[in-house]
Amino acid sequence: MLEHAAGQPWIYPVLLVFFFIDGFATILPSETAIVGLSALSLHSGEPNLWILGGTALVGAMAGDNMAYMLGRKIGLTRWKWMRRPKVQKMFAWAQYELDKRGAVLIFTARYIPWGRVAVNYVAGQTGYPHRNFFFLDAFACLTWVGYSIGIGLLAGQWVHHNPLLGVGIAIAFAVVLGIVVDHVLRWWHKHLERKDAARAAESGADVPVAPEAGHTGVARADLSKPAG
């Protein structure tokens, strides 16, 4: 059934909506979809990898920019899920990082599912220039699509006689690699935060403390009002 669906023309508009929703809600496993379908394409030729990549790119960019616009229009406390302490801490972390290194964060956050949603919402809420956000996000989405398709093709080559087993291996490989990438990027951002604190200490200037999980002050931060 999966192989049959992969060859149907309606799968591309469905995937477009799939990637779009994942850009601002993170309720759909977009990485799993593109990795699994890439592995399947290696064996059956369907779906077309170029169309799949283009669909993923357009959908991801549209979803990210929707999150940006939602952050600008409604703030960060409108919906119940936004007011959860862990989500507010993620928003606070994103705001801190955007203030320090916006370009780096927008690029790397694309590889962290909840992180990218938080960054995109906060970028809109704080008035980060939309033109800059658009081009940085486009580059990030382009590399993310290439990275995801590459994982699917690499893992799919390991099992030639069973395409669906190749899909399963590709998805499992993507999950493990995604966890590794997530932790590496988080470690890198924390390393940059420590460097900021060290430079501030040397100069005698005050530096805002980056939010950490479990930091009680973060959840109390009022992030619902635009900066300024």
Side-chain angles (χ1 to χ4, degrees):
M1 184 175 63
L2 181 62
E3 291 178 300
H4 175 73
Q8 302 304 308
W10 51 260
I11 194 171
Y12 300 110
V14 169
L15 287 172
L16 183 65
V17 175
F18 192 94
F19 291 120
F20 171 68
I21 293 175
D22 185 63
F24 63 89
T26 315
I27 58 176
L28 299 173
S30 59
E31 285 89 352
T32 300
I34 190 171
V35 167
L37 288 171
S38 297
L40 189 60
S41 176
L42 181 67
H43 297 277
S44 65
E46 296 291 349
N48 182 284
L49 282 181
W50 288 104
I51 302 178
L52 174 64
T55 301
L57 178 62
V58 173
M61 287 182 60
D64 289 352
N65 281 271
M66 175 59 75
Y68 177 96
M69 298 305 298
L70 287 172
R72 172 171 288 185
K73 296 293 184 182
I74 69 174
L76 304 177
T77 59
R78 174 70 64 83
W79 295 323
K80 183 177 180 180
W81 67 267
M82 292 179 168
R83 296 191 292 271
R84 295 174 182 171
K86 288 185 178 181
V87 176
Q88 283 290 301
K89 290 172 185 177
M90 182 69 77
F91 284 147
W93 167 81
Q95 186 166 352
Y96 171 86
E97 289 290 321
L98 275 172
D99 290 340
K100 289 292 181 180
R101 46 195 146 261
V104 173
L105 181 64
I106 291 171
F107 177 79
T108 58
R110 176 24 70 176
Y111 294 82
I112 307 174
W114 269 107
R116 67 170 172 255
V117 172
V119 168
N120 296 340
Y121 272 104
V122 172
Q125 187 267 340
T126 57
Y128 190 87
H130 192 199
R131 180 183 178 88
N132 294 349
F133 175 86
F134 180 87
F135 287 108
L136 288 169
D137 180 67
F139 181 63
C141 289
L142 182 63
T143 61
W144 173 79
V145 169
Y147 157 85
S148 300
I149 291 178
I151 291 175
L153 294 178
L154 176 64
Q157 290 179 345
W158 295 345
V159 184
H160 295 284
H161 62 282
N162 191 328
L164 295 184
L165 179 59
V167 171
I169 292 175
I171 292 174
F173 182 73
V175 170
V176 173
L177 186 58
I179 293 172
V180 172
V181 170
D182 185 3
H183 281 77
V184 169
L185 291 177
R186 290 177 186 274
W187 172 85
W188 184 37
H189 282 288
K190 289 182 179 179
H191 173 69
L192 294 177
E193 291 163 9
R194 288 192 292 268
K195 290 180 65 176
D196 291 340
R199 283 196 296 266
E202 291 175 359
S203 63
D206 292 332
V207 61
V209 178
E212 298 278 355
H215 191 287
T216 56
V218 175
R220 293 196 298 267
D222 183 5
L223 300 177
S224 61
K225 299 177 182 178

